[in-house]
Amino acid sequence: MKLISETQITSFKNFLDSHETFLIAGHKEPDGDCIASSIGISYILTHINKPFNMLNAGPFKRTEIKKYAQFFKQETGFMTVDDQKRCGLIIVDCSELSRLGEIDGDLKGFDTFIIDHHKTAVESENSIIDSTAPAAACIVQQLFEKLVGTPNKEEANILFFGTATDTGFFRFLNECDSEVFNSVSRLVQAGTSPREIYQEMTGGKGWNTRKLLGIMLNRAERYINGKLVITYETQEDTRKYGQEGRDSDALYTMMLSVEGVEVVVFVRQETEHSCTIGFRSKDRIDVSLVASKFGGGGHKNASGASTDGKIETLIPSIVKEFSRIM
């Protein structure tokens, strides 16, 4: 991970200084990194006495982030033209307004600053985008330490949680990521407990998550000489087990541990005519290349997409795209 530059830090500080109030927004269907990055920015604004509102379209499906839903709104509220001019929009963990989902209020007219780490992110004049950072929370931590100082235990817990989420509790890091461990070690010194954060991230799963996981494993099929695994969830599954009955992270981990498997894809029928797709790979395969073919993006080893279509037609298309690069 590269350290952000003094120029980038100054750019962000100037953005904060040039606005009186702020909206903080992250992508729809948030994960721990999105939530932690949003709250991390809110901590910075609190320390410099700048009012803010945090926005997220949700839904807050993941067990470990449900308790944070109360801090987020789904609407900007009434704002006059002058209010909008005084207000800055900070987008974290994504770079496109379209990925924010259904927020009640037009966000297009706001002066915007983007903080993101996805490989497919689009840079703008006001942005800090670093694809070498394994989590947006890593960037936010650097901003916090430069602009505020050492975080307290509560602040350190949130920042650690964000980085731990997107690194698979550090399983996805390699020899080039020593700076990430330096960063999280400072959070541990500030009082965070890795053991407690791990339990928070992995515990509390519902019974239905285990039942649905069994179904997903039973449906899994191998393609391209066993290197690609694809499974799926139907709308009937969702009706039977609920949106709470999902644990795709466990699915990816189990399937990628199988000998010879390099990529795992999970397709979920969200509506009659649309699906979400999750992509994970071990190392060499860049799944963001395939995700982009379906209107999505993300990291080399972890990406996602939302697209029109049905499971039965999307799976052959996914196999075709991966056959080009595997």
Side-chain angles (χ1 to χ4, degrees), residues 107-175:
L107 297 177
K108 294 179 181 179
F110 290 91
D111 190 17
T112 303
F113 199 100
I114 294 170
I115 299 172
D116 195 12
H117 69 121
H118 292 101
K119 182 179 178 180
T120 51
V122 180
E123 290 195 43
S124 63
E125 183 178 354
N126 287 335
S127 67
I128 300 177
I129 296 175
D130 180 11
S131 61
T132 71
C138 290
I139 302 173
V140 174
Q141 179 184 345
Q142 294 177 67
L143 290 171
F144 185 100
E145 291 172 335
K146 290 292 185 179
L147 299 178
V148 178
T150 301
N152 60 33
K153 181 177 180 179
E154 177 186 343
E155 294 161 343
N157 281 346
I158 285 292
L159 295 169
F160 188 101
F161 173 55
T163 297
T165 295
D166 265 24
T167 61
F169 216 85
F170 313 109
R171 298 194 314 274
F172 306 144
L173 300 181
N174 54 42
E175 67 277 5

Side-chain angles (χ1 to χ4, degrees), residues 13-46:
K13 185 178 184 302
N14 289 341
F15 183 82
L16 299 185
D17 291 341
S18 63
H19 298 86
E20 297 178 14
T21 63
F22 294 89
L23 296 172
I24 307 168
H27 60 76
K28 62 183 179 180
E29 296 198 19
D31 59 3
D33 185 32
C34 177
I35 295 303
S37 300
S38 298
I39 297 176
I41 292 296
S42 80
Y43 288 152
I44 295 174
L45 295 176
T46 297

